[in-house]
Amino acid sequence: MNTALSESVSETALNFDVLPHDVEEFREAVKEFARNVVQPRVQELDQKPAAHFDWDLVGHGHRIGLTRAAVPKKYGGLGVGMLGVATALEEVAAVCPGTALIFGATLLGQAPVLLSGDPRLQARFLPLFSGDEPVLACNAVTEEDAGCDLIIPSQAEHARNVTTARRDGDDYVLTGRKRFITNAKVAAFASVFATMEGSRGATGLTSFIVPLDLPGVVRGPVADKMGYRACLGSELEFHDVRVPAEYMVGAEGEGMAINMAQSNMARAAVAGISTGVARSALEQAVAWCGERVQGGRPLKDQQFTAAKLAGMAAKVDAARLLYLRAADKVDNELPPPVYEPAAAKLFADRTAIDVAETALSLLGARGYLRSYGLEKTMRDALGTRIYEGTPEVLALAVTESLYAEQDEW
């Protein structure tokens, strides 16, 4: 595999307080989009029926580059790498993490193509994101009976009922069903992971790029989720879908390595989303404690409250520093590292929940009301633990890295 995710890599160490110019410029554009376009629609996006999707909002994001941030410039993208993506997604997630995930899931759908270094695949699929109209992608890994078994190599042989692929002339024929796939209902194509027919479990896992208008593809109903309601999660069914052999990423059986690489890449960006959720809770708490008077003094001036706010702020800053370091590593190392992205997501996910919970304790009954917005933040915070690695999976990745380092000693 070969990739060059970032085209703004500095020869010196990254200064986390001064981002590269193109990354900072993009982040500012995204911040304006989040405040002026997303913020006024937040409650509507959260309370609409599950299948509602705001293409107008996506169009605004597309025009500033959110659908093509990691795509190289030669294919019409921005080329700001994972550093640009992660900082941008924090800005969107601080307003609406569901909207952030629409664009994050599109990046994940692009990931195998970006990682492949295959000029044919890249020339075929990456320019789709630079047109006038927004195009979205999705990444189809999870099965009804297999999730972690598809991302932990030692468990691959135990995976059950995995989508299968078999070679038939110039095509591969895919059969199976994927679940909990963000953007599946609205994506133009999916990066699909299927095991070669006859392989045990997921030991023959192979990656394919599948246009979702091919005969035999069925998009299932939209899931009615607890949070992240601005993005759509649904099933994808493959009924003897014929995929041209040139749409395979890498070679047969290389899907596990590609899946692990894309996860390590994406976790830095997802940690940015989690940090945005935590930041939203912190900002709501700071605003409330600055105006609420109790015992004759604003809450912020009371020692117990100040301790809570300080702890929340420190956690948010720490989460941001961890994901910035992880994103910088992803942009400069091949294959993408395991430890830094896993540690960043593990910490940021927990931070989102802890900060939201503390903010709720500070706002009290008001925080429990929909009109204040914090209850939505609390629901969204819980969602960060599920996708791109649960805490348990991330802990395994971090621990394995620690022991790998020990072996090198």
Side-chain angles (χ1 to χ4, degrees):
M1 293 186 297
N2 180 35
T3 183
L5 283 175
S6 177
E7 297 173 345
S8 61
V9 177
S10 170
E11 293 181 0
T12 59
L14 178 68
N15 180 340
F16 292 133
D17 292 318
V18 182
L19 298 173
H21 175 72
D22 56 346
V23 170
E24 179 62 27
E25 189 175 59
F26 179 51
R27 188 183 71 84
E28 286 298 322
V30 172
K31 180 188 291 188
E32 184 177 346
F33 160 73
R35 289 177 176 174
N36 297 336
V37 179
V38 182
Q39 183 69 64
R41 311 185 193 197
V42 167
Q43 282 198 339
E44 177 187 4
L45 292 170
D46 184 57
Q47 296 176 22
K48 282 280 189 180
H52 173 76
F53 191 72
D54 194 336
W55 273 109
D56 178 70
L57 180 148
V58 172
H60 281 277
H62 168 68
R63 285 190 283 278
I64 62 172
L66 276 167
T67 54
R68 60 188 187 280
V71 173
K73 292 177 182 177
K74 69 177 180 178
Y75 295 117
L78 301 186
V80 294
M82 205 49 51
L83 186 64
V85 170
T87 53
L89 291 183
E90 181 193 334
E91 295 299 331
V92 182
V95 175
C96 178
T99 300
L101 193 56
I102 295 171
F103 300 107
T106 292
L107 163 72
L108 195 56
Q110 297 165 349
V113 181
L114 290 167
L115 289 164
S116 72
D118 186 332
R120 295 174 304 162
L121 277 178
Q122 293 182 343
R124 165 68 178 83
F125 289 103
L126 296 182
L128 295 175
F129 301 95
S130 60
D132 293 335
E133 296 300 319
V135 170
L136 301 177
C138 65
N139 192 274
V141 177
T142 304
E143 311 271 356
E144 175 68 27
D145 297 317
C148 294
D149 289 344
L150 300 178
I151 59 174
I152 301 175
S154 61
Q155 296 181 196
E157 64 177 299
H158 303 294
R160 301 172 55 225
N161 301 325
V162 182
T163 296
T164 61
R166 61 178 172 84
R167 184 70 183 254
D168 185 17
D170 293 332
D171 299 328
Y172 284 87
V173 181
L174 270 59
T175 303
R177 181 175 70 155
K178 298 290 185 177
R179 292 206 69 188
F180 312 116
I181 310 303
T182 301
N183 284 355
K185 201 74 173 179
V186 290
F189 70 80
S191 54
V192 179
F193 290 79
T195 197
M196 297 307 300
E197 199 171 73
S199 301
R200 185 176 180 183
T203 57
L205 204 65
T206 304
S207 175
F208 300 90
I209 304 302
V210 182
L212 295 181
D213 58 358
L214 289 179
V217 175
V218 176
R219 304 178 197 243
V222 173
D224 195 358
K225 306 191 303 298
M226 174 182 178
Y228 282 78
R229 294 179 61 83
C231 63
L232 307 185
S234 60
E235 298 179 359
L236 280 176
E237 296 179 12
F238 303 96
H239 300 276
D240 294 331
V241 177
R242 301 189 73 89
V243 180
E246 60 264 30
Y247 290 178
M248 180 173 63
V249 182
E252 291 183 8
E254 291 185 353
M256 183 64 75
I258 294 168
N259 193 16
M260 292 173 64
Q262 73 172 18
S263 290
N264 295 335
M265 183 183 88
R267 283 168 182 166
V270 173
I273 294 178
S274 298
T275 302
V277 175
R279 179 179 128 197
S280 174
L282 172 63
E283 289 172 350
Q284 292 174 73
V286 167
W288 172 250
C289 293
E291 65 184 43
R292 173 67 162 174
V293 175
Q294 191 168 314
R297 292 183 298 161
L299 285 177
K300 69 179 180 64
D301 294 335
Q302 301 189 27
Q303 220 172 43
F304 184 71
T305 302
K308 285 189 174 185
L309 291 174
M312 294 161 72
K315 288 179 180 179
V316 173
D317 272 351
R320 182 177 297 112
L321 289 170
L322 281 171
Y323 90 65
L324 287 173
R325 181 183 68 155
D328 186 50
K329 290 270 189 180
V330 168
D331 284 338
N332 288 282
E333 292 185 14
L334 186 67
V338 175
Y339 175 81
E340 288 84 1
K345 185 178 186 296
L346 181 66
F347 185 83
D349 290 354
R350 185 69 249 174
T351 294
I353 295 171
D354 289 348
V355 173
E357 185 178 28
T358 304
L360 187 61
S361 75
L362 290 170
L363 268 71
R366 289 167 181 79
Y368 211 65
L369 301 178
R370 281 191 170 185
S371 58
Y372 277 76
L374 185 57
E375 65 86 30
K376 175 185 180 299
T377 304
M378 188 78 243
R379 286 186 281 113
D380 289 335
L382 294 170
T384 62
R385 294 166 55 89
I386 297 171
Y387 61 94
E388 280 314 303
T390 63
E392 294 77 16
V393 168
L394 296 171
L396 282 174
V398 169
T399 304
E400 287 173 2
S401 296
L402 293 177
Y403 280 95
E405 289 181 5
Q406 186 183 58
D407 291 342
E408 291 177 1
W409 299 342

